[in-house]
Amino acid sequence: MLQSTLRHGLIGLILITPAFAAPTAEQRGKAFARANCARCHAIDRVSESRLKIAPPLRALHQRYPIETLGEALAEGIYTGHADMPAFELSPDQIHDLLSYLKTLE
């Protein structure tokens, strides 16, 4: 009986462990920001942007409601200066990045 209970408990733990190990939307969004934005923008709560004209991501919510950025990210972000690459994100990438940006508000 005890052995059966332990076996079932162990099987249950094995089945739920991948759910705990899967990265959250916020973590995936931070990884996207690190890979695609950190070259110029500060992507955390305290750092200065490497490129002075690039606003820290934590300040975006002061200019735009974060929820409204989804459409712009889907259509593509294009700026008037050559240093900013054009971006068009997938719906999943948009969700993840917006989830991360919400944590910086």
Side-chain angles (χ1 to χ4, degrees):
M1 172 92 171
L2 179 61
Q3 199 172 35
S4 175
T5 302
L6 289 173
R7 185 177 309 126
H8 285 113
L10 182 59
I11 291 170
L13 283 173
I14 290 170
L15 292 175
I16 65 169
T17 299
F20 289 124
T24 64
E26 293 86 1
Q27 291 168 330
R28 290 187 305 269
K30 184 175 184 178
F32 180 89
R34 186 179 304 114
N36 296 284
C37 310
R39 180 176 67 113
C40 300
H41 297 270
I43 65 165
D44 60 21
R45 293 179 184 264
V46 296
S47 299
E48 294 295 320
S49 293
R50 292 180 180 176
L51 183 64
K52 294 299 177 198
I53 63 170
L57 295 187
R58 67 179 171 274
L60 288 179
H61 76 279
Q62 296 166 351
R63 293 182 179 184
Y64 317 97
I66 296 302
E67 298 80 17
T68 65
L69 295 176
E71 185 176 336
L73 292 169
E75 292 176 358
I77 299 288
Y78 302 95
T79 64
H81 62 88
D83 290 333
M84 176 75 178
F87 280 103
E88 290 184 36
L89 284 70
S90 72
D92 288 339
Q93 290 172 319
I94 292 168
H95 170 74
D96 294 347
L97 184 57
L98 295 182
S99 295
Y100 177 63
L101 293 177
K102 291 291 283 180
T103 70
L104 298 176
E105 291 184 337

